[in-house]
Amino acid sequence: MANKPEKFIDENGLRLDGRAVDEMRPMTIEIGVLSRADGSCYLEWGKNKILAAVYGPRELHPRRMQKPDEAIVRYRYNMAAFSVEDRARPGPSRRSIEISKVSRDAFAPIIMTKYYPSAVIDVFAEVLQADAGTRTAAINAASIALADAGIPMKGLISACAVGKVDGQLVLDLSKDEDNYGNADLPIAMTQDGEISLLQMDGNLTKEEFKKALEMATEGCRQILEIQKEALKKKFESHEEVVKSLV
Ligand code: ADP
């Protein structure tokens, strides 16, 4: 781990990587990267690299796990052994089990499970390279992979974290800010601004918490635009193919 920097924000209000306090790392999204999955997405966010795959809806086995009136959603967040500086121990950990659970719940308000009784929708989010903010990056990728799989949804989910360093709130923590900061508040929300995941490490005052929510809402709004743009691009490229056929 790198040593703790003396200051996280310089006299010009810029962070160690040159970002303003309310600036996110650049995000790129590629859709449909896996041919065997029903939906997939490769997402880069700063140095984070995430691959998300969706399978289903398909019949759930064993049958006793089926829900007769709706589909169940399973979500697996996993860090590749090579995704971090020291090797991450393969297999589920307390951390990855918790992240998988809260991430699955983050999609509960939007996935229309009632359309697929007795079925299962499987979401896999593989962290290939981790650099802080992987749970939110994985949720952003999973949201696109679900849309790519054609799962009926009431909209997309977008997620980002707000933290506190040098007593100031910052959007989208970098690795050093995450390691040595005073707070980390990952949030996921629907297009309508309904919060579907909220976790918090560290301490914030009531005022800071309110401001952090505002910053996260703005961050999610920006991410939603990037997500929509990526989907639109894919849809348009299909339109080109269709046009060339008729
Ligand atoms: P998030 O990735 O959602 O911010 P954490 O706050 O738990 O989740 O982790 C912050 C960062 O710490 C991760 O993005 C990753 O870079 C690093 N990290 C997490 N788990 C491990 C691990 N087992 N080994 C090494 N680094 C890790």
Side-chain angles (χ1 to χ4, degrees), residues 164-234:
K164 190 167 118 182
V165 289
D166 292 349
Q168 277 204 57
L169 294 174
V170 293
L171 179 63
D172 182 26
L173 296 169
S174 68
K175 186 78 172 71
D176 280 343
E177 290 170 341
D178 189 310
N179 284 347
Y180 300 110
N182 321 109
D184 179 10
L185 183 77
I187 283 178
M189 58 176 68
T190 65
Q191 292 186 200
D192 304 331
E194 183 190 334
I195 293 174
S196 62
L197 175 146
L198 192 154
Q199 297 183 287
M200 185 160 133
D201 262 350
N203 292 311
L204 293 176
T205 65
K206 220 166 154 185
E207 276 313 301
E208 283 170 341
F209 183 75
K210 231 173 105 188
K211 177 86 180 44
L213 279 188
E214 280 168 24
M215 286 172 77
T217 305
E218 174 53 25
C220 286
R221 204 194 52 75
Q222 287 177 25
I223 293 164
L224 177 64
E225 286 312 308
I226 300 169
Q227 290 172 308
K228 278 189 181 164
E229 200 49 45
L231 283 167
K232 213 165 100 193
K233 231 166 142 188
K234 176 159 191 216

Side-chain angles (χ1 to χ4, degrees), residues 79 84 95 130-135 175 178 184:
M79 270 181 142
V84 289
R95 176 178 172 275
D131 200 55
T134 56
R135 78 194 63 200
K175 186 78 172 71
D178 189 310
D184 179 10

Side-chain angles (χ1 to χ4, degrees), residues 74-219:
R74 295 190 293 208
Y75 188 110
R76 194 186 79 153
Y77 163 100
N78 183 55
M79 270 181 142
F82 51 79
S83 64
V84 289
E85 220 166 306
D86 336 298
R87 175 176 180 273
R89 198 157 168 238
S93 61
R94 270 183 68 144
R95 176 178 172 275
S96 71
I97 292 167
E98 175 204 311
I99 293 177
S100 298
K101 190 201 172 297
V102 295
S103 303
R104 188 202 59 205
D105 294 349
F107 285 93
I110 61 151
I111 301 180
M112 295 158 92
T113 49
K114 297 273 182 220
Y115 285 160
Y116 301 103
S118 310
V120 61
I121 297 164
D122 276 308
V123 183
F124 299 92
E126 293 288 320
V127 179
L128 305 178
Q129 189 167 286
D131 200 55
T134 56
R135 78 194 63 200
T136 48
I139 288 171
N140 292 324
S143 186
I144 294 296
L146 281 159
D148 184 37
I151 305 291
M153 296 193 289
K154 292 178 193 152
L156 294 168
I157 294 284
S158 311
C160 65
V162 171
K164 190 167 118 182
V165 289
D166 292 349
Q168 277 204 57
L169 294 174
V170 293
L171 179 63
D172 182 26
L173 296 169
S174 68
K175 186 78 172 71
D176 280 343
E177 290 170 341
D178 189 310
N179 284 347
Y180 300 110
N182 321 109
D184 179 10
L185 183 77
I187 283 178
M189 58 176 68
T190 65
Q191 292 186 200
D192 304 331
E194 183 190 334
I195 293 174
S196 62
L197 175 146
L198 192 154
Q199 297 183 287
M200 185 160 133
D201 262 350
N203 292 311
L204 293 176
T205 65
K206 220 166 154 185
E207 276 313 301
E208 283 170 341
F209 183 75
K210 231 173 105 188
K211 177 86 180 44
L213 279 188
E214 280 168 24
M215 286 172 77
T217 305
E218 174 53 25

Side-chain angles (χ1 to χ4, degrees), residues 18-38:
R19 283 186 289 155
V21 288
D22 59 352
E23 192 178 340
M24 281 187 338
R25 292 171 287 185
M27 183 184 289
T28 56
I29 292 176
E30 220 176 304
I31 304 177
V33 289
L34 300 172
S35 56
R36 264 191 268 286
D38 294 308

